[in-house]
Each structure stands twice: as structure tokens, then as C-alpha cells.
Amino acid sequence: MLNSKQRFATKKKYKKALKKNQLHLLQLQHELYELDLPVILIFEGWDAAGKGGAIKRVTERLDPRGYKVHGIAAPDEHELKYHYMRRFWKSLPTKGQFAIFDRSWYGRVLVERIEGFATNEEWARAYDEINHTEKMLADTGHIIMKFWLQITKDEQLARFRARANDPFKKWKLTDEDWRNREKWDQYEEAIEEMIDKTNTKFAKWHIIDSNDKKTARVSIIEAIIAEFQNKITKIHS
């Protein structure tokens, strides 16, 4: 996990680092397009950990023709009639494109597990199902990166209170968010098991300390850049 100490002393330094990395990421996006490489970026994390803000900074200077962001909510009545992976499969990227998931199929072993929306048998077998799916995608050229945004329980409470007092952000805070806090220990156990059982060489988890949002955002983009550069180097070597 990255150090939670604030990395940028001033907003100006943060903006400079962010812009520099965003430009580099844009350049790499074009290279991946030329190489026909599809990319899957998965963002998971605690409520109020900053997933939306991180995705915004990843995408805000990219070529908009080359990516799609998929915000994942609870499955509707129609989707519940199918295997849970079906609704994600139709959102996978074409060659040279990015698919960015704000929450993902990992809901099966997190919220569906804790809230009882999946049986013990269903969520227990999902680890192998997910690993097999990601392996198949990696074997066909997909770059898969998974980010877990970690914050402390105290930091989450502070962000909840700030949202509750901000008329422009109150909509982000729901009764469900408060209920989930009461099950913190259960979610923590599920998160640890999820990472342990699905952290593979072809689809690694990147654990991002997100107590400082600015540090987290830049660190995520730097991790993406490093992975893309490594993939491109291997192709050309």
C-alpha cells in the first residue's frame, strides 16, 4: 500500500504532476490503439474512497473516442435472470479501447456476499469464475488492472459528514452507506479474502491508500502508465 502521507505540498505541485502524467497517459492511449490492445480498468473501494474522482482524473485528458466508463449499480429484474457476469461481458472493450468499471463483477464477493444477495455457494465459487474469466481475457490480449481504494474508517466518517453538509454532494450519501459502515468488519474480511484469492499475475490488485485524494489520483495514473509501458516494451522487444 502506498504511504498515506500527503505527497504534494501545494495544489500547484499536484496540478503540475497530474497534467504531466495525464499527457503521458494520452500518448500511451494512442500507442495501445495502434497495437489493437483492449484495456480493462476496474475501480473498487470503500464508500467515499474517491473512485469517481480518480476515474475523472484518469479520463479527463484522454481521447474520448477511446474509452467508456461503466458505472455499475445493482442488477435489475431482467439481469437477475442471467448469470451475474453477463451484464459485464457486454461492456468489455473492443480492440484498442478502454473499458473503465466504477465497481464491477467483484460485487459478487463483496456486497452480494455481505448483504445476502448471493448464497454461500454462489459467492464462494465466484473467485474461480472471476479468475478464469480474467485469465481468458488476458490470454486474448486484454490489459487488466484492478484498483482497490483504501481509506480508514475515521476518514470515511469525515467524508460522509462533509457530504451531508454540502448541498451539491448530499445526493452521494445514502442510508445504505451508513448501514454499510455498521458492517465494516464483515466487509474488511471479505475484501481481504477477495484480494488474496483474485490477485493474479495476469490481473493484479493495486492497493491505493486514498486518505489523501490528490496522492491517490496521481499514484493511480502512474501505475497505469507503468503497466502500459511494460506491455508495449514486451511487444516491441
Side-chain angles (χ1 to χ4, degrees):
M1 184 181 295
L2 298 175
N3 195 304
S4 61
K5 183 178 180 181
Q6 187 171 352
R7 181 172 164 187
F8 303 104
T10 65
K11 187 174 182 179
K12 183 177 180 180
K13 289 184 178 180
Y14 158 67
K15 288 289 188 180
K16 182 178 180 180
L18 181 64
K19 185 175 181 180
K20 175 184 176 182
N21 281 285
Q22 287 175 328
L23 176 59
H24 195 173
L25 185 58
L26 173 61
Q27 294 167 340
L28 291 172
Q29 180 193 19
H30 290 154
E31 289 191 56
L32 294 176
Y33 175 78
E34 292 297 329
L35 292 169
D36 277 342
L37 292 178
V39 175
I40 298 172
L41 302 178
I42 292 173
F43 288 82
E44 296 280 358
W46 291 101
D47 294 330
K51 295 180 293 297
I55 292 171
K56 178 181 178 181
R57 272 66 181 191
V58 168
T59 61
E60 67 182 346
R61 295 185 187 273
L62 292 180
D63 182 339
R65 298 170 296 178
Y67 73 86
K68 289 184 180 179
V69 177
H70 306 281
I72 304 302
D76 60 30
E77 185 177 347
H78 175 73
E79 290 169 330
L80 287 172
K81 296 178 181 179
Y82 297 90
H83 190 278
Y84 72 97
M85 287 293 290
R86 178 182 181 272
R87 65 186 181 126
F88 301 105
W89 193 262
K90 62 186 180 182
S91 298
L92 294 177
T94 57
K95 292 181 178 180
Q97 299 286 306
F98 292 14
I100 301 172
F101 290 92
D102 184 349
R103 299 199 183 278
S104 67
W105 42 81
Y106 284 97
R108 189 66 159 188
V109 296
L110 292 176
V111 65
E112 292 184 32
R113 166 183 174 173
I114 302 303
E115 304 302 332
F117 299 136
T119 66
N120 289 346
E121 181 182 1
E122 287 173 334
W123 66 255
R125 71 167 180 257
Y127 301 116
D128 285 338
E129 292 171 341
I130 290 170
N131 285 336
H132 289 156
T133 297
E134 292 177 352
K135 178 67 163 58
M136 177 177 61
L137 292 170
D139 286 346
T140 54
H142 291 71
I143 299 173
I144 306 170
M145 297 188 71
K146 304 180 296 195
F147 294 95
W148 176 264
L149 276 61
Q150 177 70 22
I151 55 175
T152 64
K153 195 173 183 180
D154 288 343
E155 177 62 22
Q156 186 191 65
L157 179 59
R159 293 184 186 183
F160 277 13
R161 288 173 173 169
R163 285 181 176 183
N165 293 321
D166 186 336
F168 292 106
K169 294 184 178 181
K170 287 178 71 173
W171 62 270
K172 289 186 175 184
L173 189 63
T174 66
D175 291 340
E176 184 179 351
D177 294 329
W178 289 108
R179 287 195 298 269
N180 288 345
R181 269 185 65 81
E182 297 174 4
K183 299 180 180 179
W184 183 280
D185 291 344
Q186 291 174 258
Y187 273 100
E188 197 165 49
E189 180 182 353
I191 292 160
E192 290 174 358
E193 186 171 0
M194 174 192 75
I195 292 171
D196 179 62
K197 291 187 174 182
T198 63
N199 186 40
T200 60
K201 64 181 181 180
F202 49 83
K204 294 180 181 178
W205 278 103
H206 298 260
I207 314 302
I208 305 296
D209 187 328
S210 299
N211 278 337
D212 180 69
K213 292 181 180 180
K214 295 182 178 67
T215 299
R217 292 164 182 169
V218 175
S219 297
I220 288 168
I221 298 175
E222 288 176 340
I224 295 171
I225 288 171
E227 181 69 19
F228 288 177
Q229 287 181 316
N230 182 55
K231 185 71 173 181
I232 292 169
T233 298
K234 286 182 178 180
I235 290 173
H236 290 312
S237 63

